[in-house]
Amino acid sequence: MNYILISPYYPGNFQAFAHRLHDAGVNVLGIGEEPYDQLGSELQNSLTEYYRVHDLEDIDEVKRAVAFLMYKHGPIDRIESNNEYWLELDAQLREQFNVYGNKTNDLKKVKYKSEMKKLFEKAGVPVVEGRVVRTKMELSKAIDELGLPVIAKPDNGVGSAATFKLCSEEAVRHFEEEWGEAQVYFVEPYVEGGVLCTYDGLVDQKGNIVFQTSFTYNMPTLELVKGQLDLAYVIQKEMDPKLEAYGKAIVNAFGMKERFFHIEFFKLEDGDYVALEYNNRLAGGYTIDMYNFAYSIDLFAQYASIVTGGEYKESDVENQYCVGITQRDAYEYQHDTNAIYERFGDRVKFEQRIPDAFAALQGNQFYAINADSPEEVDDIIRFVHKRKVRDRSFSYAY
């Protein structure tokens, strides 16, 4: 099997895809921007060949790279990055070279929030009303119908980028100035008191869900970024059956195969959920590592098994919670890395500096810490986030 891995070097924790595919006997061919020497010996050994391009954004240059690798190694069976930033590039290349997997037209339902909502409704999953707006007049009409506050986000956008919470006429005017009708936006009511959570997993070549999990944020991403607040999110030990039922219905409606998925929900105060977004890839950052720590598995190896037609192998170890938690350089905390290790010992599974590109969203220093109970989860969050000077207090909901 010839598998082209787009951007095999970055992000660093995704290099394990190359290693596990290589271990499974796959001929892994890399295309990326980094010099070969920068890859390091472990990644070099996992790649049969590496083709360096000057710019992955240059589709013609990347197509030439694929054509060269196909000429040298034969037909290409897969092209994948598992990275949201390159999903459209992956699809264009599959279409150009007739490779298995999503093509450009297949991405419409996972790129546009308005299209996602149609499929959520088809799946019978609750949503909040939304409106596509292209002009200030359409925005005004949408706000008249929906009322303030609303969330305005690009209909085709990634994460919380260019997202606005509009809770006053002044905020609406500011958004209109920033927006300038330059792109299509999607507007929907702001969900008060909602807890941001997910239904995540992996589907096999037939579209069957072979792995599922859920995590919960301590606060919505927009508030986290705007206020530069402390992040904590928790891989859950068990899943709410209602969330599981909604998630499975959505996965069935989207009909994807041999892919990870990451679906965002708000859990409401009455215990029900509303679906927000379907992401046709892994959750970002170190979340896949946290899945592995919480469930005592290796999802990189499981993915390689699925790609090569094998089966998913269940772990026989009891699930745990895994807390992903960060500290920001802008604040002084009572407990540093040494103190955190001293307190939690081998429950600290991972600690890492976060790349500057993601620091504004997540923080600067990341820890993944396992826990057996909600009480231990709360203890971890209180300890890691305790500041030398407390200027604000937060409550956490799981």
Side-chain angles (χ1 to χ4, degrees):
M1 169 181 277
N2 289 323
Y3 186 117
I4 289 182
L5 192 57
I6 301 295
S7 186
Y9 179 80
Y10 185 85
N13 62 321
F14 278 25
Q15 292 181 23
F17 279 114
H19 305 327
R20 301 302 181 269
L21 286 165
H22 172 77
D23 293 343
V26 174
N27 198 38
V28 187
L29 309 168
I31 299 177
E33 298 176 356
E34 294 79 14
Y36 182 73
D37 290 345
Q38 186 178 329
L39 302 184
S41 60
E42 187 177 11
L43 183 55
Q44 289 171 355
N45 290 336
S46 292
L47 298 175
T48 302
E49 183 153 357
Y50 178 71
Y51 191 111
R52 185 192 180 192
V53 295
H54 290 95
D55 186 2
L56 282 172
E57 304 274 7
D58 185 339
I59 182 65
D60 291 330
E61 185 183 18
V62 178
K63 285 180 179 178
R64 288 194 293 272
V66 175
F68 172 81
L69 293 172
M70 178 180 288
Y71 171 79
K72 186 171 181 180
H73 297 276
I76 304 301
D77 299 287
R78 299 290 188 275
I79 299 175
E80 184 60 74
S81 65
N82 282 310
N83 187 328
E84 178 155 29
Y85 191 83
W86 301 117
L87 291 188
E88 292 184 53
L89 173 63
D90 298 341
Q92 288 178 287
L93 295 173
R94 294 189 199 104
E95 190 163 358
Q96 175 75 31
F97 295 96
N98 193 30
V99 174
Y100 173 91
N102 291 331
K103 311 299 192 295
T104 299
N105 285 340
D106 299 320
L107 293 188
K108 183 179 180 181
K109 60 189 174 185
V110 296
K111 284 172 55 182
Y112 294 94
K113 295 174 180 64
S114 53
E115 295 297 322
M116 294 176 195
K117 194 173 291 283
K118 293 176 185 177
L119 284 173
F120 293 155
E121 292 173 327
K122 180 181 178 181
V125 177
V127 297
V128 293
E129 284 189 84
R131 300 285 189 276
V132 174
V133 298
R134 299 173 179 82
T135 65
K136 294 178 182 178
M137 186 175 295
E138 290 181 349
L139 173 64
S140 178
K141 181 180 179 182
I143 290 175
D144 286 342
E145 293 173 348
L146 301 174
L148 294 175
V150 298
I151 294 292
K153 47 193 174 184
D155 193 26
N156 178 13
V158 176
S160 61
T163 296
F164 296 80
K165 180 181 179 182
L166 310 180
C167 49
S168 67
E169 290 300 326
E170 181 181 359
V172 173
R173 301 289 86 79
H174 172 71
F175 166 66
E176 288 178 339
E177 292 176 6
E178 292 281 329
W179 171 36
E181 301 180 353
Q183 64 185 125
V184 179
Y185 260 73
F186 191 72
V187 176
E188 59 189 4
Y190 179 75
V191 179
E192 298 285 355
V195 176
L196 186 59
C197 60
T198 74
Y199 177 74
D200 298 352
L202 173 65
V203 292
D204 65 15
Q205 293 180 345
K206 296 180 180 179
N208 300 314
I209 299 171
V210 293
F211 171 75
Q212 62 177 10
T213 184
S214 174
F215 65 83
T216 302
Y217 285 98
N218 63 327
M219 65 190 66
T221 309
L222 182 60
E223 277 77 1
L224 184 77
V225 177
K226 299 296 184 185
Q228 289 295 279
L229 305 176
D230 290 324
L231 167 67
Y233 64 106
V234 184
I235 307 294
Q236 298 296 302
K237 189 174 181 179
E238 298 176 347
M239 192 182 306
D240 182 346
K242 179 176 285 189
L243 176 63
E244 180 179 357
Y246 285 157
K248 286 181 173 179
I250 289 173
V251 171
N252 183 62
F254 276 77
M256 295 300 179
K257 297 179 180 178
E258 196 184 281
R259 296 203 63 82
F260 289 96
F261 59 85
H262 168 57
I263 310 172
E264 296 180 351
F265 291 83
F266 267 136
K267 184 175 183 179
L268 306 178
E269 293 177 342
D270 64 4
D272 206 356
Y273 297 83
V274 292
L276 300 176
E277 292 187 22
Y278 181 104
N279 297 279
N280 202 36
R281 44 82 182 173
L282 279 161
Y286 303 114
T287 308
I288 187 170
D289 304 286
M290 292 173 59
Y291 298 153
N292 289 339
F293 298 139
Y295 296 101
S296 299
I297 55 175
D298 183 338
L299 275 172
F300 300 105
Q302 300 281 12
Y303 173 78
S305 177
I306 294 297
V307 167
T308 54
E311 296 183 352
Y312 178 90
K313 301 175 181 62
E314 296 281 353
S315 171
D316 56 5
V317 179
E318 183 180 1
N319 298 344
Q320 292 182 288
Y321 295 96
C322 186
V323 183
I325 188 165
T326 66
Q327 295 178 335
R328 294 184 182 273
D329 290 350
Y331 309 128
E332 289 189 81
Y333 297 90
Q334 288 205 8
H335 305 117
D336 62 9
T337 297
N338 289 336
I340 290 168
Y341 270 103
E342 184 176 347
R343 175 67 175 269
F344 300 110
D346 60 6
R347 286 190 287 167
V348 182
K349 300 299 181 182
F350 181 77
E351 64 92 7
Q352 184 72 42
R353 290 291 294 178
I354 294 174
D356 290 342
F358 304 108
L361 170 61
Q362 299 176 345
N364 303 95
Q365 178 67 30
F366 177 87
Y367 303 92
I369 307 175
N370 275 15
D372 290 317
S373 68
E375 293 75 22
E376 289 183 0
V377 168
D378 291 339
D379 181 45
I380 290 166
I381 294 172
R382 279 193 299 266
F383 189 86
V384 176
H385 280 170
K386 189 173 184 180
R387 297 184 190 173
K388 290 184 177 179
V389 178
R390 294 285 297 200
D391 56 357
R392 196 177 296 182
S393 61
F394 306 107
S395 60
Y396 302 95
Y398 302 103

